[in-house]
Amino acid sequence: MSELPQIIAGNWKMNMTLTQGRKFIDTLASGLVGKKLARKLLLAPNFTLLSGLVQGCADIGIGLLAQNCAFQDAGAFTGETSVAMLKDVGVGYVLVGHSERRQLFGESDDLLRRKAQAVSGGGLVPIFCVGETLDQRQGGEAFEIVTKQLRSGLDGFPGEKLIIAYEPVWAIGTGQTATAEDARSMHVHIRKFLEVQFPWGEMVPILYGGSAKPENATELLAQPEVNGLLVGGASLDPESFLQIALA
Ligand code: PGA
């Protein structure tokens, strides 16, 4: 079993203005005064907030995570954002294949592989998201689906810096969290996959996401191979994000 430093990553999705984001960081900074934080914190604000929040985040040791990127380097791709652009404003991590990107924006396994490779090739760390739908879980296919997503998404992955987020789709934004046992068994499964696939597979943090909140953070974080949390709704409130960070 790997003992990796835990990571708490907040995903703001399409929420927060720059003014609200700055207020959040100020509140979080005050809340962190005098606290010993054993975990690494990351925040994923919208693109328009990244350069405005980079300094405030750096001042309190929070890493900046982008919610998405293009795989192309540059060119005529209206509305897209390259890895180099993200790196230039101080982003260190990029979410790849969040289920909302897969489901609402039709991002395919093939596209996500290219994005993961572009992020890694550009010197940033992808947080590659996987997870089954409710139908797939009820049909007994959860492990198979997650394996398929990992296999196709990480085929030919060029780097050694990688984070995985296991987010069962049925638990995202629904208030319905996976049980600690569901999370544990899938994380152990993912760890085995990574160890077979990569010589450095034991070093990859595996985060759980899906209605993570202060009430369930301690139990989830105590599970073997749960190396942190990817938090959506509960990351919009600095108090609850802080409670999770300190759980
Ligand atoms: P949630 O979102 O915590 O609101 O369920 C998690 C995510 O989508 O990353």
Side-chain angles (χ1 to χ4, degrees):
M1 185 179 118
S2 50
E3 287 294 344
L4 298 169
Q6 291 188 326
I7 298 169
I8 307 295
N11 175 12
W12 285 354
K13 309 191 181 186
M14 199 174 74
N15 295 294
M16 297 275 213
T17 61
L18 182 54
T19 311
Q20 290 169 327
R22 287 196 165 124
K23 206 167 153 216
F24 178 107
I25 300 295
D26 286 348
T27 311
L28 192 62
S30 318
L32 283 169
V33 173
K35 302 273 188 337
K36 263 220 168 113
L37 198 60
R39 302 187 172 115
K40 169 83 185 154
L41 300 189
L42 304 178
L43 270 182
N46 192 272
F47 287 146
T48 59
L49 280 60
L50 292 170
S51 54
L53 296 185
V54 65
Q55 192 57 53
C57 283
D59 288 347
I60 52 173
I62 295 184
L64 216 47
L65 167 65
Q67 296 179 16
N68 186 24
C69 69
F71 71 83
Q72 297 92 341
D73 291 338
F77 302 103
T78 303
E80 292 294 304
T81 305
S82 74
V83 175
M85 290 167 180
L86 295 173
K87 191 174 182 183
D88 187 51
V89 297
V91 167
Y93 306 78
V94 185
L95 285 176
V96 176
H98 187 280
S99 71
E100 286 148 19
R101 301 300 316 171
R102 290 178 188 265
Q103 298 208 312
L104 305 176
F105 300 96
E107 296 198 353
S108 66
D109 287 339
D110 183 49
L111 177 70
L112 297 174
R113 178 174 60 249
R114 295 168 132 197
K115 288 191 179 192
Q117 293 186 358
V119 171
S120 180
L124 304 189
V125 182
I127 300 188
F128 191 80
C129 306
V130 295
E132 79 286 356
T133 63
L134 186 58
D135 277 357
Q136 290 164 340
R137 175 154 285 263
Q138 288 174 341
E141 295 171 276
F143 291 91
E144 197 183 311
I145 292 293
V146 167
T147 306
K148 182 173 164 286
Q149 290 170 339
L150 290 169
R151 197 175 294 289
S152 55
L154 301 177
D155 185 32
F157 186 74
E160 294 191 6
K161 287 199 172 157
L162 171 68
I163 299 172
I164 300 293
Y166 168 56
E167 297 203 300
V169 178
W170 46 272
I172 296 179
T174 58
Q176 199 185 334
T177 318
T179 63
E181 170 53 25
D182 287 341
R184 187 201 61 78
S185 56
M186 187 61 85
H187 280 237
V188 169
H189 174 77
I190 294 172
R191 174 70 62 211
K192 281 190 190 135
F193 174 90
L194 293 169
E195 284 178 350
V196 169
Q197 203 73 8
F198 302 111
W200 38 269
E202 66 174 354
M203 300 307 295
V204 178
I206 308 171
L207 315 184
Y208 167 81
S211 299
K213 46 188 177 244
E215 295 76 18
N216 57 27
T218 308
E219 191 186 10
L220 288 164
L221 287 166
Q223 299 308 308
E225 306 296 1
V226 174
N227 310 118
L229 300 172
L230 179 54
V231 186
S235 74
L236 293 171
D237 170 20
E239 303 298 342
S240 64
F241 189 61
L242 188 64
Q243 280 177 41
I244 294 172
L246 296 168

